[in-house]
């Protein structure tokens, strides 16, 4: 059963039987707002603008970013995290971009995995509708565990969506929802370090 999270809420990434999850997938989905454009002879038509949002994972340990997984670097150095590819428009239903994490293979030096989204094409979030991040159990037919609606449109071009953190022998998922600005993941590193 999925949990709808609010900003700042944390859930334990454990199976319903109490065991620890081994593989999760963070999915990002979004739509673009439909706008009315004036035609050549006074008419108008509704169009949907393509917006290129990019999901990235920043691996953090010891107070610094150790590795970044994004559309230009699809796999972490330790092989535990895989980005499934870039969606340039947000077209289609469901998850537009996904990052798969093998929690059992994440390097011991990684304390947090911070998931960020940025508008590579430069549009701000006032032009984005229905944006969400969700975490699913990749070993159980993509059963959704938690979902966080990325509400609060604004003039920011980036957002720290969520983080997965080591806790005891397992992991937790926290909805962050902290706005920022940047077109690439590297520009969000200072903001990601603030939320861990």
């Amino acid at each position: 059963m999925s949990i709808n999270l609010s900003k700042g809420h944390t859930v334990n990434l454990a199976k319903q039987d109490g065991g620890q999850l081994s593989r999760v997938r963070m999915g990002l989905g979004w739509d673009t707002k439909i706008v009315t454009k004036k035609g050549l002879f006074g008419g108008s038509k509704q169009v949907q603008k393509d917006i290129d949002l990019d999901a990235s994972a920043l691996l953090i340990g010891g107070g610094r970013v150790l590795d970044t997984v994004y559309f230009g670097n699809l796999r972490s150095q330790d092989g535990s995290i895989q980005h499934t590819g870039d969606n340039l428009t947000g077209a289609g239903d469901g998850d537009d971009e996904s990052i798969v994490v093998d929690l059992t293979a994440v390097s011991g030096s990684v304390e947090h995995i911070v998931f960020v989204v940025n508008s590579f094409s430069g549009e701000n979030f006032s032009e984005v509708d229905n944006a969400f991040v969700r975490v699913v159990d990749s070993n159980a037919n993509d059963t959704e565990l938690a979902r966080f609606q990325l509400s609060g449109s604004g003039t920011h071009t980036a957002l720290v969506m969520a983080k997965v953190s080591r806790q005891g022998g397992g992991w937790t998922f926290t909805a962050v929802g902290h706005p920022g600005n940047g077109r690439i993941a590297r520009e969000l590193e200072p903001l990601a370090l603030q939320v861990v």
Side-chain angles (χ1 to χ4, degrees):
M1 183 167 136
S2 179
I3 299 169
N4 284 319
L5 298 177
S6 300
K7 188 174 180 177
H9 285 132
T10 299
V11 293
N12 193 334
L13 291 181
K15 294 181 181 180
Q16 289 184 350
D17 65 7
Q20 291 298 315
L21 293 172
S22 59
R23 286 177 59 87
V24 295
R25 181 173 60 81
M26 188 284 302
L28 166 69
W30 74 93
D31 296 318
T32 56
K33 290 187 176 180
I34 296 174
V35 295
T36 302
K37 292 211 172 192
K38 293 186 179 189
L40 205 50
F41 301 104
S44 63
K45 65 179 181 176
Q46 291 192 327
V47 296
Q48 196 161 12
K49 182 179 180 182
D50 292 342
I51 295 180
D52 182 8
L53 296 184
D54 291 322
S56 304
L58 305 175
L59 289 71
I60 296 175
R64 63 188 185 93
V65 176
L66 305 172
D67 196 3
T68 303
V69 177
Y70 67 106
F71 69 88
N73 180 43
L74 297 176
R75 185 179 297 275
S76 62
Q77 293 170 6
D78 63 12
S80 66
I81 300 176
Q82 173 74 43
H83 193 299
T84 61
D86 196 11
N87 180 321
L88 302 177
T89 65
D93 293 330
D95 299 335
D96 294 308
E97 291 196 9
S98 292
I99 299 174
V100 179
V101 181
D102 181 349
L103 295 169
T104 64
V106 175
S107 169
S109 61
V110 176
E111 299 163 359
H112 307 276
I113 304 166
V114 178
F115 297 100
V116 299
V117 59
N118 54 276
S119 174
F120 185 76
S121 48
E123 291 86 4
N124 65 51
F125 274 70
S126 68
E127 300 178 65
V128 176
D129 271 340
N130 305 320
F132 66 87
V133 60
R134 68 187 191 123
V135 63
V136 299
D137 183 348
S138 289
N139 287 335
N141 298 321
D142 277 350
T143 302
E144 184 175 292
L145 303 169
R147 175 180 289 257
F148 175 43
Q149 289 298 130
L150 302 174
S151 59
S153 292
T155 58
H156 54 281
T157 59
L159 193 67
V160 175
M161 298 181 289
K163 66 179 175 177
V164 173
S165 302
R166 286 189 194 272
Q167 182 143 2
W171 295 85
T172 60
F173 177 84
T174 303
V176 177
H178 194 80
N181 287 295
R183 293 183 60 230
I184 59 174
R186 177 168 286 134
E187 294 172 340
L188 301 174
E189 289 181 4
L191 190 58
L193 290 169
Q194 286 178 17
V195 303
V196 296

